[in-house]
Amino acid sequence: MNDRHLIELIDVSKAYGGDVALSHVNLYVKDGEFLTLLGPSGCGKTTMLRLIAGFIMPDEGRIEMDGVDIANVPPYRRKINTVFQKYALFPHLNVFDNIAFGLKIRGVDRNTIRKKVEAMLELVNLKGYGGRYVEQLSGGQQQRVAIARALVNEPQVLLLDEPLGALDLKLRKEMQVELKNMQQRLGITFLYVTHDQEEALTMSDTIVVLKDGVIQQVGTPTDVYNEPKNPFVADFIGESNIIPVIMLDDFKVRMNGVVYACVDKGFGRNAEVDVVVRPEDVDIVPAKGARVSGTVVSVVFMGVHYEVDVDCGGYEWVIQTTDYVARGETVGISIPPDAIHVMKKTKQTNLFDGTAYPDDGEVEFCGRRFRCEGLEGFEQRAEVLVAVAPADVRLIAPQDAELTGFVKACMFLGTHYEVTIVCGEEDWIAYADDYMETGEEIGLSVPADRIGVSGT
Amino acid sequence: MSRGGKNRAAGLFTKRRVFAYPYVVWMALFIFSPMLLILYYAFTSDGAFSFSALVWAVGWDNLRVLLDSLRFALYTTVLFLLFGYPVAYLLSRMNRSVAALVSAFFIVPMWMNFLLRTYAWKVLLGAFTNILYTESAVLLGMVYNFLPFMILPIYTTLIKLDKSYLEAANDLGANNAVTFLKVVLPLSMPGVLSGITMVFIPSTTTFAISQLLGGGKTMLYGDLIYMKFITEQSWNAGSALSVILLVCVLLSMAFMKKADRSTAGEGGGRLW
């Protein structure tokens, strides 16, 4: 790997019929690195890959390769090859002809084609499979053929779109190692798309975490795991305890009423921040003499370790430990300073465009009218900006609600869950005490005195 | 349920086979028995077993008509491919709703009786051109009547074609023309074969079109059979000709099946 920027995305945006897939993304890919685009489905990772492959064009921004804008270069002229999610191997050709496809088009002579294809078959451990048809191969073998078909063209960049998604766990683990070895041996830049955080951590040189078309964090696996930039990254990558705390001063936080030493600084005095503590970084100590203690509420054996939930008066810690503790036992908890990772708080407010109806004491937004106080001074039908704090959104049974939506995401923030709810065109953020399944229907209501209205 | 054997009456109805009985009866009465009758007439003469009708049927005069019909069917099939494939291809690349509208233009005339349409052509060709009662008029009539049967199966295979194959070909360096030749065309072969089966055989056996637009000058095999049965009331000769046509049809179907198997792959979308 060297520091040359092979591919550079500059302020790239892409929308599909009004739905934003990528929003002002800036990213560079270094020559020879294994870069992973990681995020939940719909985060824009596949869109980014397809932009680089050339199957779609950006709405805005530039995509450069070796410093040259390639936005208008068709895919068949880019020195980039793709391993497709469902492989897209040609069913009318056998394995040999599938792999030879690109070489034949470039007019490479027969002998060279034969040599290169045979070498590729050997590289992906499929020697002697050239005459078989795609339908006669297992998923893992098809996967290898797809990789060989792309690599035989000696691309500068290999794009892989969730290539291991269709394989079973054991095969997936093996292929992860093989892919990584292959990449290091050939020195080709790999751009890998996955939603599997473990896969990303194992294989990558650089991880790019995406959410809703926006890059959340770019870093090495250790960076992203140990120093997540926000609660989303912390929650998405690995298990974590996320706790809203007060940063009293540099190197000092107050968490659940107890002051801890930490290693972070520069957030100012008495700042509201979030802290992430990885479950394996929390130590269980004898309750006697411990600064914080609680009751073990659940113990699950996970193979290498136990996953223990400890209730410390309102806050439940998730802890991974190799020592067995019994359910109901009272234990102490100790958190070393370097286990506390401070993140800037992401303050969320629900903002909507609305119309005021002061004569009726109502404001209309999200296609519904809501009872609202404090509309004095606005004209009837005036356009207004409506703000609702997540804590003021009440989640009720859908049959009792005027406004209903579906849960899009649910994230544990230590004392409560942060729920994203899709209501038609708009997303709402609300807090909940219990976990909610994605896709669950839920009703929303807001008390009349909790709707903030301001002029536009 | 029915396996327990406790309730035989209920068992009878839960066996789905029972729903096929009406059609099986229909098939026996109106397809299978006429076939037997044709075989009977083909191999008899005045009620006695005889090969005379068949021997007459393979005579050179009749064979020439058969070859003529096959040649005609071949011409039409080539024309179908030349017109049908591009139309199907364009349809498959259109926005679905536009494609639905355009394909309605092909399908709506099919709801009108086939004879009426052919009569309409007769009037049109007679009034505006001088090709009525020529081979060209017969070809035109056939293409007009059977074209949708060629377009639809090809269209079906093309829209079912996974777009990722096209992207993969593009990705591997093939421009759009090469992608079409190396990927789209081979993968749509099942549809083409299905289309050929749908138009080649009807083209071989048609008789109304050649009578109306060919004015009796173009004698196709269907016309010959029609003549023997209806005009001359010679059931033995007509049956013998039919048996030969049936053998030809079965042979060509077997050939298509074989060709279809050799184009292997999941391209799918054969109508039958």
Side-chain angles (χ1 to χ4, degrees):
Chain A
M1 195 188 350
N2 57 50
D3 280 342
R4 192 165 66 96
H5 294 182
L6 185 61
I7 294 179
E8 199 147 358
L9 275 69
I10 303 156
D11 201 32
V12 169
S13 296
K14 176 76 191 173
Y16 296 105
D19 288 336
V20 176
L22 280 181
S23 171
H24 302 285
V25 166
N26 285 289
L27 179 73
Y28 60 83
V29 183
K30 281 188 265 181
D31 191 15
E33 79 174 327
F34 194 123
L35 183 137
T36 300
L37 302 173
L38 175 67
S41 59
C43 71
K45 54 191 192 298
T46 297
T47 302
M48 208 191 275
L49 203 75
R50 292 174 59 79
L51 279 168
I52 295 170
F55 301 137
I56 49 175
M57 303 281 158
D59 296 337
E60 274 175 62
R62 290 160 60 81
I63 299 171
E64 288 182 357
M65 191 163 168
D66 273 334
V68 182
D69 190 354
I70 55 166
N72 292 316
V73 178
Y76 52 87
R77 287 216 200 95
R78 298 188 184 191
K79 282 211 65 101
I80 295 173
N81 285 111
T82 308
V83 176
F84 291 84
Q85 195 165 13
K86 285 180 207 136
Y87 318 141
L89 296 173
F90 303 123
H92 61 298
L93 300 178
N94 64 19
V95 169
F96 185 95
D97 288 333
N98 258 290
I99 299 175
F101 193 90
L103 297 175
K104 278 186 185 163
I105 282 167
R106 277 195 279 137
V108 178
D109 71 275
R110 284 176 143 226
N111 272 331
T112 320
I113 290 182
R114 177 158 298 277
K115 263 185 228 149
K116 285 196 171 180
V117 173
E118 295 296 342
M120 264 303 143
L121 281 171
E122 209 166 324
L123 179 80
V124 296
N125 286 325
L126 282 177
K127 213 176 166 194
Y129 280 72
R132 298 223 192 167
Y133 277 87
V134 175
E135 64 202 15
Q136 298 167 307
L137 301 178
S138 71
Q141 290 166 337
Q142 291 187 19
Q143 164 69 67
R144 288 155 199 261
V145 175
I147 292 168
R149 184 178 69 171
L151 280 180
V152 79
N153 301 293
E154 291 160 16
Q156 274 182 296
V157 184
L158 185 71
L159 308 179
L160 303 105
D161 187 3
E162 307 217 16
L164 307 183
L167 306 181
D168 63 62
L169 186 68
K170 194 166 175 291
L171 197 55
R172 199 156 67 216
K173 298 265 180 212
E174 284 171 20
M175 282 305 291
Q176 284 174 13
V177 179
E178 262 183 68
L179 272 177
K180 181 73 191 165
N181 285 341
M182 221 180 275
Q183 189 261 341
Q184 282 173 339
R185 211 160 358 130
L186 300 169
I188 295 177
T189 309
F190 274 37
L191 236 135
Y192 193 95
V193 159
T194 183
H195 63 265
D196 182 340
Q197 44 98 8
E198 210 183 311
E199 204 166 278
L201 291 172
T202 331
M203 302 166 80
S204 322
D205 296 317
T206 306
I207 295 179
V208 178
V209 187
L210 280 156
K211 181 200 173 198
D212 296 337
V214 177
I215 292 180
Q216 305 292 311
Q217 186 168 3
V218 181
T220 64
T222 20
D223 277 351
V224 175
Y225 187 82
N226 287 335
E227 301 286 341
K229 271 207 178 133
N230 60 41
F232 172 80
V233 177
D235 189 65
F236 193 76
I237 302 196
E239 288 217 53
S240 49
N241 298 286
I242 300 170
I243 314 112
V245 305
I246 304 288
M247 186 114 193
L248 297 172
D249 207 338
D250 285 353
F251 314 117
K252 211 195 265 180
V253 293
R254 195 178 69 214
M255 189 167 14
N256 300 333
V258 183
V259 177
Y260 289 86
C262 70
V263 293
D264 291 302
K265 60 174 176 153
F267 289 85
R269 293 174 66 104
N270 295 326
E272 275 187 62
V273 292
D274 283 322
V275 150
V276 57
V277 182
R278 294 294 180 187
E280 66 272 23
D281 292 340
V282 184
D283 296 326
I284 291 185
V285 294
K288 241 186 212 169
R291 298 171 64 205
V292 177
S293 61
T295 319
V296 176
V297 287
S298 98
V299 182
V300 181
F301 181 58
M302 306 289 281
V304 185
H305 59 262
Y306 295 94
E307 190 162 298
V308 183
D309 288 356
V310 179
D311 186 350
C312 303
Y315 186 81
E316 236 179 75
W317 286 90
V318 181
I319 301 162
Q320 288 170 1
T321 170
T322 46
D323 301 324
Y324 178 75
V325 286
R327 230 181 111 190
E329 204 177 318
T330 304
V331 293
I333 279 175
S334 153
I335 303 163
D338 62 359
I340 298 172
H341 307 296
V342 180
M343 305 176 290
K344 231 189 238 165
K345 199 162 188 87
T346 41
K347 261 228 169 104
Q348 305 259 25
T349 313
N350 298 298
L351 288 174
F352 308 104
D353 291 323
T355 315
Y357 294 93
D359 297 357
D360 313 317
E362 288 179 341
V363 62
E364 187 186 313
F365 58 96
C366 292
R368 289 274 184 289
R369 286 216 188 178
F370 292 82
R371 303 252 353 125
C372 175
E373 292 173 7
L375 285 172
E376 300 78 19
F378 287 103
E379 281 183 37
Q380 187 77 354
R381 293 185 157 275
E383 283 185 15
V384 291
L385 191 66
V386 180
V388 181
D392 293 331
V393 181
R394 290 199 191 140
L395 298 178
I396 54 178
Q399 60 268 25
D400 301 337
E402 288 259 320
L403 182 67
T404 60
F406 295 93
V407 175
K408 181 175 159 194
C410 185
M411 188 162 84
F412 188 53
L413 287 184
T415 50
H416 60 272
Y417 289 90
E418 186 188 286
V419 194
T420 313
I421 300 148
V422 192
C423 304
E425 302 266 294
E426 309 274 8
D427 279 9
W428 284 69
I429 309 271
Y431 295 153
D433 291 330
D434 300 303
Y435 181 74
M436 291 188 178
E437 287 292 337
T438 309
E440 194 179 322
E441 191 178 10
I442 191 84
L444 301 158
S445 90
V446 189
D449 58 340
R450 291 298 185 180
I451 299 179
V453 178
S454 57
T456 52
Chain B
M1 281 170 279
S2 59
R3 268 187 213 154
K6 280 179 191 165
N7 192 335
R8 290 199 167 223
L12 187 67
F13 284 100
T14 50
K15 272 186 193 155
R16 305 222 175 97
R17 206 187 292 166
V18 96
F19 295 111
Y21 291 166
Y23 183 67
V24 170
V25 171
W26 173 275
M27 225 160 66
L29 275 179
F30 298 112
I31 299 176
F32 196 59
S33 54
M35 292 263 217
L36 285 180
L37 278 177
I38 284 178
L39 281 177
Y40 168 77
Y41 279 114
F43 287 97
T44 54
S45 167
D46 295 328
F49 180 79
S50 150
F51 281 115
S52 61
L54 273 176
V55 171
W56 170 82
V58 294
W60 175 242
D61 281 349
N62 294 320
L63 274 188
R64 212 182 50 210
V65 179
L66 180 64
L67 289 177
D68 252 9
S69 296
L70 289 175
R71 179 175 57 88
F72 237 83
L74 205 69
Y75 289 168
T76 35
T77 306
V78 170
L79 282 177
F80 283 138
L81 278 177
L82 285 181
F83 286 124
Y85 198 98
V87 171
Y89 184 72
L90 288 176
L91 275 178
S92 73
R93 310 220 74 182
M94 278 176 196
N95 180 326
R96 282 291 164 91
S97 51
V98 182
L101 186 73
V102 175
S103 49
F105 286 113
F106 296 104
I107 292 169
V108 167
M110 303 298 290
W111 294 341
M112 217 185 340
N113 183 282
F114 154 78
L115 280 176
L116 274 180
R117 276 180 280 147
T118 311
Y119 267 112
W121 269 115
K122 189 176 173 176
V123 174
L124 280 176
L125 290 180
F128 298 109
T129 70
N130 55 5
I131 62 162
L132 187 62
Y133 302 142
T134 64
E135 284 200 355
S136 316
V138 180
L139 273 180
L140 182 88
M142 294 225 252
V143 171
Y144 177 75
N145 276 307
F146 298 131
L147 192 58
F149 294 110
M150 183 57 123
I151 295 177
L152 289 178
I154 299 180
Y155 172 67
T156 319
T157 23
L158 284 175
I159 51 166
K160 277 193 194 155
L161 193 69
D162 193 338
K163 295 284 171 291
S164 63
Y165 293 137
L166 311 188
E167 285 183 354
N170 257 210
D171 189 77
L172 293 166
N175 61 26
N176 294 340
V178 176
T179 303
F180 177 80
L181 284 177
K182 294 226 167 190
V183 178
V184 179
L185 201 57
L187 286 179
S188 61
M189 278 325 276
V192 171
L193 284 174
S194 181
I196 291 178
T197 329
M198 300 278 284
V199 300
F200 182 74
I201 292 161
S203 310
T204 328
T205 57
T206 185
F207 66 93
I209 296 175
S210 50
Q211 278 186 4
L212 287 174
L213 299 178
K217 277 187 221 155
T218 318
M219 169 82 90
L220 296 184
Y221 211 62
D223 299 313
L224 189 62
I225 296 175
Y226 177 85
M227 203 173 76
K228 289 292 157 199
F229 270 109
I230 309 296
T231 323
E232 295 179 16
Q233 296 279 317
S234 170
W235 287 35
N236 299 101
S239 296
L241 292 172
S242 304
V243 167
I244 288 168
L245 183 60
L246 194 67
V247 169
C248 288
V249 167
L250 289 177
L251 279 177
S252 65
M253 278 180 74
F255 175 75
M256 302 282 185
K257 267 257 158 62
K258 212 173 164 200
D260 188 34
R261 229 170 280 139
S262 66
T263 60
E266 51 175 300
R270 260 182 74 99
L271 244 52
W272 57 283

